[in-house]
mmCIF file of all heavy atoms in Angstrom:
data_model
loop_
_atom_site.group_PDB
_atom_site.id
_atom_site.type_symbol
_atom_site.label_atom_id
_atom_site.label_comp_id
_atom_site.label_asym_id
_atom_site.label_seq_id
_atom_site.Cartn_x
_atom_site.Cartn_y
_atom_site.Cartn_z
ATOM 1 N N ILE A 827 6.233 13.896 -23.223
ATOM 2 C CA ILE A 827 7.151 15.033 -23.289
ATOM 3 C C ILE A 827 6.352 16.308 -23.488
ATOM 4 O O ILE A 827 5.591 16.435 -24.447
ATOM 5 C CB ILE A 827 8.158 14.861 -24.429
ATOM 6 C CG1 ILE A 827 8.997 13.598 -24.201
ATOM 7 C CG2 ILE A 827 9.063 16.080 -24.557
ATOM 8 C CD1 ILE A 827 9.895 13.233 -25.368
ATOM 9 N N SER A 828 6.488 17.262 -22.574
ATOM 10 C CA SER A 828 5.736 18.509 -22.661
ATOM 11 C C SER A 828 6.604 19.684 -22.238
ATOM 12 O O SER A 828 7.317 19.617 -21.239
ATOM 13 C CB SER A 828 4.496 18.444 -21.766
ATOM 14 O OG SER A 828 3.847 19.682 -21.728
ATOM 15 N N LYS A 829 6.523 20.749 -23.023
ATOM 16 C CA LYS A 829 7.249 21.978 -22.679
ATOM 17 C C LYS A 829 6.484 22.793 -21.645
ATOM 18 O O LYS A 829 7.041 23.644 -20.976
ATOM 19 C CB LYS A 829 7.462 22.818 -23.941
ATOM 20 C CG LYS A 829 8.232 22.124 -25.042
ATOM 21 C CD LYS A 829 8.235 22.953 -26.308
ATOM 22 C CE LYS A 829 8.897 22.207 -27.466
ATOM 23 N NZ LYS A 829 8.815 22.957 -28.738
ATOM 24 N N ASN A 830 5.180 22.558 -21.569
ATOM 25 C CA ASN A 830 4.318 23.341 -20.688
ATOM 26 C C ASN A 830 3.891 22.523 -19.480
ATOM 27 O O ASN A 830 3.553 21.351 -19.597
ATOM 28 C CB ASN A 830 3.074 23.815 -21.460
ATOM 29 C CG ASN A 830 3.445 24.597 -22.707
ATOM 30 O OD1 ASN A 830 4.246 25.520 -22.650
ATOM 31 N ND2 ASN A 830 2.865 24.223 -23.839
ATOM 32 N N LYS A 831 3.903 23.151 -18.331
ATOM 33 C CA LYS A 831 3.506 22.486 -17.099
ATOM 34 C C LYS A 831 2.013 22.744 -16.857
ATOM 35 O O LYS A 831 1.611 23.884 -16.612
ATOM 36 C CB LYS A 831 4.326 23.018 -15.917
ATOM 37 C CG LYS A 831 5.831 22.890 -16.093
ATOM 38 C CD LYS A 831 6.268 21.438 -16.234
ATOM 39 C CE LYS A 831 7.792 21.322 -16.361
ATOM 40 N NZ LYS A 831 8.224 19.935 -16.569
ATOM 41 N N ILE A 832 1.200 21.700 -16.974
ATOM 42 C CA ILE A 832 -0.235 21.888 -16.744
ATOM 43 C C ILE A 832 -0.735 21.036 -15.584
ATOM 44 O O ILE A 832 -1.931 20.885 -15.385
ATOM 45 C CB ILE A 832 -1.050 21.593 -18.014
ATOM 46 C CG1 ILE A 832 -0.925 20.129 -18.442
ATOM 47 C CG2 ILE A 832 -0.639 22.515 -19.137
ATOM 48 C CD1 ILE A 832 -1.898 19.752 -19.543
ATOM 49 N N GLY A 833 0.200 20.496 -14.811
ATOM 50 C CA GLY A 833 -0.176 19.822 -13.575
ATOM 51 C C GLY A 833 -0.594 18.380 -13.694
ATOM 52 O O GLY A 833 -1.279 17.851 -12.807
ATOM 53 N N LEU A 834 -0.182 17.691 -14.749
ATOM 54 C CA LEU A 834 -0.540 16.288 -14.889
ATOM 55 C C LEU A 834 0.221 15.419 -13.886
ATOM 56 O O LEU A 834 1.401 15.648 -13.614
ATOM 57 C CB LEU A 834 -0.242 15.790 -16.303
ATOM 58 C CG LEU A 834 -1.109 16.352 -17.431
ATOM 59 C CD1 LEU A 834 -0.591 15.859 -18.780
ATOM 60 C CD2 LEU A 834 -2.564 15.959 -17.251
ATOM 61 N N ASN A 835 -0.471 14.431 -13.340
ATOM 62 C CA ASN A 835 0.164 13.464 -12.451
ATOM 63 C C ASN A 835 0.868 12.388 -13.273
ATOM 64 O O ASN A 835 0.308 11.877 -14.238
ATOM 65 C CB ASN A 835 -0.898 12.781 -11.580
ATOM 66 C CG ASN A 835 -1.699 13.745 -10.748
ATOM 67 O OD1 ASN A 835 -1.156 14.406 -9.876
ATOM 68 N ND2 ASN A 835 -2.999 13.840 -11.021
ATOM 69 N N LYS A 836 2.083 12.054 -12.891
ATOM 70 C CA LYS A 836 2.800 10.948 -13.507
ATOM 71 C C LYS A 836 2.370 9.666 -12.803
ATOM 72 O O LYS A 836 2.657 9.466 -11.624
ATOM 73 C CB LYS A 836 4.310 11.155 -13.374
ATOM 74 C CG LYS A 836 5.154 10.115 -14.083
ATOM 75 C CD LYS A 836 6.627 10.432 -13.893
ATOM 76 C CE LYS A 836 7.519 9.386 -14.543
ATOM 77 N NZ LYS A 836 8.959 9.662 -14.303
ATOM 78 N N ILE A 837 1.653 8.813 -13.536
ATOM 79 C CA ILE A 837 0.927 7.720 -12.895
ATOM 80 C C ILE A 837 1.537 6.353 -13.223
ATOM 81 O O ILE A 837 1.997 6.124 -14.330
ATOM 82 C CB ILE A 837 -0.552 7.734 -13.339
ATOM 83 C CG1 ILE A 837 -1.185 9.079 -12.980
ATOM 84 C CG2 ILE A 837 -1.336 6.616 -12.688
ATOM 85 C CD1 ILE A 837 -2.560 9.272 -13.582
ATOM 86 N N GLY A 838 1.475 5.470 -12.251
ATOM 87 C CA GLY A 838 1.823 4.073 -12.472
ATOM 88 C C GLY A 838 3.106 3.637 -11.794
ATOM 89 O O GLY A 838 4.142 4.307 -11.920
ATOM 90 N N SER A 839 3.044 2.520 -11.084
ATOM 91 C CA SER A 839 4.249 1.947 -10.489
ATOM 92 C C SER A 839 4.129 0.425 -10.468
ATOM 93 O O SER A 839 3.042 -0.133 -10.269
ATOM 94 C CB SER A 839 4.468 2.470 -9.068
ATOM 95 O OG SER A 839 3.386 2.111 -8.229
ATOM 96 N N LEU A 840 5.257 -0.228 -10.696
ATOM 97 C CA LEU A 840 5.328 -1.686 -10.640
ATOM 98 C C LEU A 840 5.632 -2.089 -9.207
ATOM 99 O O LEU A 840 6.585 -1.590 -8.609
ATOM 100 C CB LEU A 840 6.419 -2.186 -11.583
ATOM 101 C CG LEU A 840 6.615 -3.694 -11.695
ATOM 102 C CD1 LEU A 840 5.374 -4.366 -12.273
ATOM 103 C CD2 LEU A 840 7.841 -3.999 -12.549
ATOM 104 N N GLU A 841 4.807 -2.980 -8.643
ATOM 105 C CA GLU A 841 4.967 -3.361 -7.247
ATOM 106 C C GLU A 841 5.099 -4.868 -7.082
ATOM 107 O O GLU A 841 4.582 -5.646 -7.888
ATOM 108 C CB GLU A 841 3.767 -2.883 -6.416
ATOM 109 C CG GLU A 841 3.649 -1.379 -6.295
ATOM 110 C CD GLU A 841 2.529 -0.972 -5.347
ATOM 111 O OE1 GLU A 841 1.832 -1.875 -4.814
ATOM 112 O OE2 GLU A 841 2.350 0.236 -5.120
ATOM 113 N N ALA A 842 5.788 -5.245 -6.015
ATOM 114 C CA ALA A 842 5.870 -6.652 -5.602
ATOM 115 C C ALA A 842 6.287 -6.664 -4.143
ATOM 116 O O ALA A 842 6.826 -5.678 -3.620
ATOM 117 C CB ALA A 842 6.870 -7.421 -6.448
ATOM 118 N N ASP A 843 6.055 -7.767 -3.471
ATOM 119 C CA ASP A 843 6.410 -7.878 -2.058
ATOM 120 C C ASP A 843 7.804 -8.479 -1.898
ATOM 121 O O ASP A 843 8.218 -9.335 -2.689
ATOM 122 C CB ASP A 843 5.403 -8.763 -1.324
ATOM 123 C CG ASP A 843 4.000 -8.196 -1.383
ATOM 124 O OD1 ASP A 843 3.865 -6.960 -1.445
ATOM 125 O OD2 ASP A 843 3.043 -8.990 -1.379
ATOM 126 N N VAL A 844 8.515 -8.032 -0.885
ATOM 127 C CA VAL A 844 9.812 -8.628 -0.547
ATOM 128 C C VAL A 844 9.561 -10.077 -0.121
ATOM 129 O O VAL A 844 8.755 -10.343 0.773
ATOM 130 C CB VAL A 844 10.491 -7.843 0.593
ATOM 131 C CG1 VAL A 844 11.765 -8.568 1.051
ATOM 132 C CG2 VAL A 844 10.802 -6.423 0.151
ATOM 133 N N ILE A 845 10.246 -11.028 -0.783
ATOM 134 C CA ILE A 845 9.979 -12.450 -0.497
ATOM 135 C C ILE A 845 11.124 -13.156 0.240
ATOM 136 O O ILE A 845 10.939 -14.261 0.750
ATOM 137 C CB ILE A 845 9.664 -13.218 -1.793
ATOM 138 C CG1 ILE A 845 10.832 -13.126 -2.787
ATOM 139 C CG2 ILE A 845 8.374 -12.712 -2.423
ATOM 140 C CD1 ILE A 845 10.683 -14.048 -3.989
ATOM 141 N N GLU A 846 12.295 -12.486 0.299
ATOM 142 C CA GLU A 846 13.424 -13.115 0.983
ATOM 143 C C GLU A 846 14.400 -12.034 1.422
ATOM 144 O O GLU A 846 14.543 -10.997 0.757
ATOM 145 C CB GLU A 846 14.124 -14.102 0.039
ATOM 146 C CG GLU A 846 15.320 -14.826 0.620
ATOM 147 C CD GLU A 846 14.970 -15.770 1.762
ATOM 148 O OE1 GLU A 846 14.728 -15.247 2.874
ATOM 149 O OE2 GLU A 846 14.933 -16.989 1.539
ATOM 150 N N ILE A 847 15.038 -12.261 2.558
ATOM 151 C CA ILE A 847 16.071 -11.353 3.052
ATOM 152 C C ILE A 847 17.260 -12.206 3.492
ATOM 153 O O ILE A 847 17.088 -13.245 4.147
ATOM 154 C CB ILE A 847 15.559 -10.500 4.233
ATOM 155 C CG1 ILE A 847 14.484 -9.510 3.759
ATOM 156 C CG2 ILE A 847 16.710 -9.744 4.904
ATOM 157 C CD1 ILE A 847 13.834 -8.717 4.879
ATOM 158 N N LYS A 848 18.466 -11.783 3.117
ATOM 159 C CA LYS A 848 19.662 -12.517 3.518
ATOM 160 C C LYS A 848 20.811 -11.542 3.717
ATOM 161 O O LYS A 848 20.777 -10.413 3.217
ATOM 162 C CB LYS A 848 20.032 -13.560 2.463
ATOM 163 C CG LYS A 848 20.427 -12.972 1.123
ATOM 164 C CD LYS A 848 20.630 -14.043 0.070
ATOM 165 C CE LYS A 848 21.752 -14.984 0.394
ATOM 166 N NZ LYS A 848 21.969 -15.998 -0.662
ATOM 167 N N THR A 849 21.819 -11.990 4.433
ATOM 168 C CA THR A 849 23.018 -11.179 4.660
ATOM 169 C C THR A 849 24.216 -11.920 4.081
ATOM 170 O O THR A 849 24.387 -13.129 4.328
ATOM 171 C CB THR A 849 23.231 -10.917 6.162
ATOM 172 O OG1 THR A 849 22.104 -10.209 6.681
ATOM 173 C CG2 THR A 849 24.489 -10.084 6.382
ATOM 174 N N VAL A 850 25.026 -11.203 3.291
ATOM 175 C CA VAL A 850 26.193 -11.812 2.662
ATOM 176 C C VAL A 850 27.446 -11.062 3.116
ATOM 177 O O VAL A 850 27.388 -9.885 3.492
ATOM 178 C CB VAL A 850 26.086 -11.783 1.121
ATOM 179 C CG1 VAL A 850 24.866 -12.564 0.661
ATOM 180 C CG2 VAL A 850 26.039 -10.354 0.596
ATOM 181 N N PRO A 851 28.611 -11.716 3.102
ATOM 182 C CA PRO A 851 29.839 -11.072 3.568
ATOM 183 C C PRO A 851 30.426 -10.114 2.533
ATOM 184 O O PRO A 851 30.002 -10.067 1.382
ATOM 185 C CB PRO A 851 30.776 -12.259 3.789
ATOM 186 C CG PRO A 851 30.310 -13.272 2.798
ATOM 187 C CD PRO A 851 28.825 -13.133 2.742
#
């Protein structure tokens, strides 16, 4: 939490691969 903008990058993401695809009614 910062009141001042000093240009920091917001880092980090959780990743995974799509393992299944299906269509439902």
Side-chain angles (χ1 to χ4, degrees):
I827 299 172
S828 174
K829 301 172 185 175
N830 304 310
K831 304 298 182 183
I832 64 170
L834 291 174
N835 302 296
K836 185 179 178 183
I837 302 170
S839 61
L840 182 64
E841 293 186 358
D843 299 330
V844 173
I845 59 170
E846 180 66 284
I847 292 175
K848 64 187 297 182
T849 299
V850 299

